[in-house]
Amino acid sequence: MTQAPAHSRTGRGRHDREIIALAVPAFGALVAEPLFVLADSAIVGHLGTAQLAGLGVASALLTTAVSIFVFLAYATTAAVSRRVGADDLQSAIRQGMDGIWLALLLGAAVIAVFLPTAPHLVELFGASDTAAPYATTYLRISSLGIPAMLVVLAATGVLRGLQDTRTPLYVAIGGFVANAVLNAVLVYGADLGIAGSAWGTVIAQCGMAAVYLVVVVRGARRHGASLRPDAAGIRASAQAGVPLLVRTLSLRAILMITTAVAARLGDADIAAHQIILSLWSLLAFALDAIAIAGQAIIGRYLGAGDEQGARDVCRRMVQWGIATGLVLGVLVVVARPAFLPLFTGDASVKDTALPALVVVALSQPVCGVVYVLDGVLMGAGDGPYLAWAMLLTLAVFTPVALLVPVFGGGLTALWGAMALMMTVRLVTLWVRTRSGRWIVTGATR
């Protein structure tokens, strides 16, 4: 049996250690984020059905608003890691501060929109007459924490770019604990009801942002980086984020279309769809953790001018993506009988979900490669290509998904359309990666 050259094995071992060191803490931080809403739901749910329904509507609006600006983390990671690779920590942190200032400006703009329009937004999302007042209260108070949430995104990007995913993990855990305690105390101890839950979340998010700012400010002082807002730097951060914003909006549109089509298939289908979508999101956390490692590592190699190192680590991460996808796919198939009863006792919902879950399982290796290559191109600062690729994917997916109710096949066919969507993404990302056009070395792209 032929063995791989020693230098090849050594290189793979080094890349593996880098990937694990960044991906494992990143996965923990990603999993901690949805626990905020889970804790809020558990506490508010005991107040009554109307309060819980109001929380559901308000949380959906907040999550959508914040997720749109996830480019604050992605673009900042790529920009900072390049400068780290170029051994210019002062410029790296300066670039990170520009991202944080942009987050504050965007957060203020979102508050200006949410406060006066909260009742109309709640109505638009279809809240009932009994739930609407609670949703409006929660939305208005929680919107005050959006600047802090966006600062957390940008500062997380700074630390990832600095090759630090442990600090975000610790902050996320601390934020979750603080949020749960504050919610319980303010909702029941202070008898503030759903408003107490909203204030607890705002305080926890502000606390997380404060911790991040302390860490970044210390780094800035250590390396002599300015903390003042720089118009040119903020504008550059915004320009880098626009293509990633287009990418994110296109992906959100795909998910919204999928849910809208599932709702038209029937009650059992939409119920099964929601269960599968929650599992899909959980699986995505594991794959996204590798993508985050890719963003940070690829940016650093390109910043250092190490073109071959970037190619090698890209190849190794693709192998990680395939292996992780295979493991997750097997787990989905094996765990199906135990997983579904956790969410429903309805036999029709289970019967609808079972074959669709097989499609989800089979698509996981594809998803693994897609997430990895997405992270590689983000780390390379190849945002414009990612935007056009996702728009193309949306254009292919939309008619296929909309035709599912016409030609039949139910939820399984719809998730087949989702698998097709991921396959289209795989093709577009693979073509770009193979072309080598994403490889642009230097401290800036």
Side-chain angles (χ1 to χ4, degrees), residues 23-331:
V24 172
F27 174 70
L30 289 170
V31 170
E33 290 174 8
L35 293 179
F36 273 80
V37 176
L38 187 64
D40 288 1
S41 300
I43 292 171
V44 171
H46 292 287
L47 294 174
T49 301
Q51 288 91 332
L52 184 58
L55 173 66
V57 171
S59 293
L61 282 163
L62 286 165
T63 301
T64 300
V66 174
S67 65
I68 287 173
F69 299 112
V70 72
F71 69 83
L72 288 166
Y74 295 157
T76 305
T77 298
V80 171
S81 61
R82 272 185 175 271
R83 288 160 175 80
V84 169
D87 199 26
D88 188 355
L89 290 177
Q90 183 184 68
S91 294
I93 296 176
R94 173 65 263 179
Q95 183 69 37
M97 285 304 305
D98 292 335
I100 290 173
W101 281 111
L102 176 61
L104 287 169
L105 291 173
L106 291 173
V110 174
I111 289 178
V113 171
F114 269 29
L115 284 180
T117 63
H120 306 292
L121 292 171
V122 166
E123 182 181 357
L124 184 65
F125 262 58
S128 67
D129 291 339
T130 53
Y134 297 111
T136 301
T137 297
Y138 191 92
L139 182 60
R140 277 183 166 155
I141 296 173
S142 291
S143 66
L144 299 176
I146 286 180
M149 296 179 196
L150 299 189
V151 166
V152 166
L153 284 177
T156 299
V158 175
L159 295 181
R160 288 174 181 170
L162 294 171
Q163 316 297 296
D164 175 12
T165 55
R166 289 183 179 273
T167 300
L169 171 61
Y170 300 147
V171 174
I173 293 173
F176 167 70
V177 173
N179 179 68
V181 172
L182 286 166
N183 268 256
V185 170
L186 295 175
V187 170
Y188 298 115
D191 198 25
L192 294 179
I194 197 169
S197 177
W199 280 117
T201 300
V202 169
I203 295 169
Q205 292 287 352
C206 289
M208 291 172 66
V211 172
Y212 274 120
L213 288 175
V214 168
V215 174
V216 174
V217 167
R218 283 179 178 172
R221 288 176 175 169
R222 187 181 309 119
H223 297 288
S226 173
L227 298 174
R228 295 178 181 177
D230 176 65
I234 293 172
R235 187 164 54 251
S237 294
Q239 289 172 346
V242 168
L244 296 180
L245 174 62
V246 172
R247 168 198 168 278
T248 300
L249 289 174
S250 300
L251 184 56
R252 296 294 300 184
I254 287 171
L255 295 176
M256 289 176 65
I257 290 169
T258 306
T259 300
V261 171
R264 284 161 176 75
L265 295 176
D267 290 346
D269 293 88
I270 185 60
H273 173 72
Q274 287 303 113
I275 295 171
I276 295 171
L277 193 60
S278 67
L279 176 63
W280 175 277
S281 299
L282 180 62
L283 298 174
F285 287 142
L287 300 174
D288 202 26
I290 303 174
I292 288 169
Q295 293 171 34
I297 297 172
I298 290 293
R300 193 185 79 235
Y301 273 104
L302 293 177
D306 188 351
E307 188 175 318
Q308 188 58 48
R311 291 182 184 276
D312 290 343
V313 77
C314 173
R315 188 179 304 111
R316 188 56 177 165
M317 281 189 291
V318 167
Q319 294 169 356
W320 269 79
I322 294 172
T324 305
L326 286 170
V327 171
L328 293 176
V330 171
L331 287 175

Side-chain angles (χ1 to χ4, degrees), residues 9-24:
R9 294 196 302 271
T10 302
R12 285 201 302 269
R14 184 179 73 254
H15 294 324
D16 287 344
R17 288 191 295 273
E18 288 180 324
I19 294 167
I20 292 170
L22 290 171
V24 172

